[in-house]
Amino acid sequence: MERIHVADVDNLPEKLGKSVKVRNYDIALFKLSNGVIRAIENSCPHKGGALSQGIISGESVYCPLHDWKICTEDGKAQKPDEGCVKTFKVEIKDTKVYVCI
């Protein structure tokens, strides 16, 4: 597993997404209101909306296209919707954010 620097903690706005490209992945980074940073695939399983542009509520992000609710922890869509996105392990060292691929 490779660890890739993608951002600095201080440059991630709280409750807003940031899109980063790592290898062949388009990843949405989120700094939640509790300070936890999550990384998920930046494409809704429904119609491919950019989740980095969605609205964060608690541990979930709402797709900007059709309001699907995706959990940033496990990547699963909230029922009755179905599907999931890939999640990525995030590591913080000093103030640097790394995504593990």
Side-chain angles (χ1 to χ4, degrees):
M1 184 173 288
E2 187 176 359
R3 193 174 77 156
I4 299 167
H5 175 242
V6 292
D8 293 326
V9 172
D10 296 338
N11 292 336
L12 287 176
E14 191 172 288
K15 297 177 71 175
L16 291 176
K18 176 181 176 148
S19 174
V20 296
K21 303 271 187 199
V22 178
R23 306 268 188 254
N24 293 329
Y25 297 103
D26 185 7
I27 297 174
L29 280 179
F30 299 101
K31 183 177 179 183
L32 306 180
S33 59
N34 61 7
V36 171
I37 297 174
R38 297 270 168 73
I40 63 173
E41 180 181 5
N42 191 22
S43 180
C44 180
H46 178 225
K47 296 283 185 181
L51 295 175
S52 62
Q53 297 174 14
I55 295 172
I56 289 286
S57 177
E59 298 273 330
S60 299
V61 59
Y62 287 86
C63 177
L65 293 184
H66 299 99
D67 213 30
W68 275 37
K69 186 177 181 182
I70 310 294
C71 178
T72 62
E73 184 174 10
D74 62 14
K76 293 181 181 176
Q78 180 179 352
K79 293 188 182 286
D81 299 320
E82 294 181 359
C84 67
V85 297
K86 183 172 180 59
T87 60
F88 300 89
K89 182 179 177 185
V90 173
E91 292 182 2
I92 311 293
K93 181 161 180 148
D94 299 323
T95 60
K96 302 208 178 294
V97 179
Y98 297 89
V99 170
C100 301
I101 293 183

